Amino acid sequence: PFDIRNNGSRLETFVADAAVSPDKYGKYYFEVTLRSHDFMLIGWVTSQFQPAYMGHTGVGDDEHSFAFCGYNRRKYHQWPFRGEDDARRNRNYEDFGSKWRHGDVVGVLIDVDAAARVVRMNFTLKGEIQRTHFHELSASMADGGASDAFAVPFVPGETFRPGIS
């Protein structure tokens, strides 16, 4: 087990050695048991992800990573750097999921569908699939309750690794 913390002054980032490759289609999953209820970014990173260990680039902060944070109930992808205007900043995250608490278990799923040429990512909190708040009702009616947190194009040879900041 790893003890990863956000001490408020910088993000520590952990990226697993094990990778999921679209060349090996299927469904993969990992879990994180929260030891606090604070701000954390939990999700997937591609092979191009470069964390800034002493800065503010964590999982979900760039185009090569995707994350869920239950502290503020948001999902992140391409979060802008400091100094960018609020209009741009507000386009790069979306209200998502439920508030997490100390001891909760976050599930992180990836479904590599080579036939459909898409990679889908979802998150669970205490065993329940998390959804975008605004689209929750329409998504539930349209597809029987399933809605992906992220769906990205299938790229042959690209890999995805579990990541936490």
Side-chain angles (χ1 to χ4, degrees), residues 73-129:
R73 300 173 61 199
R74 293 186 177 147
K75 64 180 182 175
Y76 292 85
H77 176 59
Q78 299 184 21
W79 181 250
F81 294 103
R82 289 179 179 212
E84 293 192 0
D85 62 67
D86 287 339
R88 172 153 162 63
R89 180 174 289 120
N90 289 333
R91 287 194 306 267
N92 292 314
Y93 72 81
E94 190 172 354
D95 289 341
F96 180 82
S98 300
K99 184 95 171 155
W100 61 32
R101 309 237 184 287
H102 178 273
D104 285 351
V105 176
V106 178
V108 187
L109 305 89
I110 193 166
D111 180 2
V112 180
D113 187 343
R117 305 196 58 74
V118 68
V119 178
R120 295 180 181 91
M121 299 171 215
N122 286 296
F123 301 90
T124 65
L125 182 61
K126 298 183 279 187
E128 294 183 15
I129 292 282

Side-chain angles (χ1 to χ4, degrees), residues 6-8 16 20 33 35 39 47 59 64 70 72 118 126 137-138 161 165:
N6 173 2
N7 67 10
V20 172
T33 301
R35 296 192 57 195
F39 181 87
S47 56
V59 178
H64 305 295
N72 57 13
V118 68
K126 298 183 279 187
L137 182 58
S138 61
R161 299 176 187 275
S165 293

Side-chain angles (χ1 to χ4, degrees), residues 131-147:
R131 292 189 172 81
T132 301
H133 302 184
F134 181 73
H135 301 290
E136 187 170 2
L137 182 58
S138 61
S140 295
M141 292 187 300
D143 60 14
S147 62

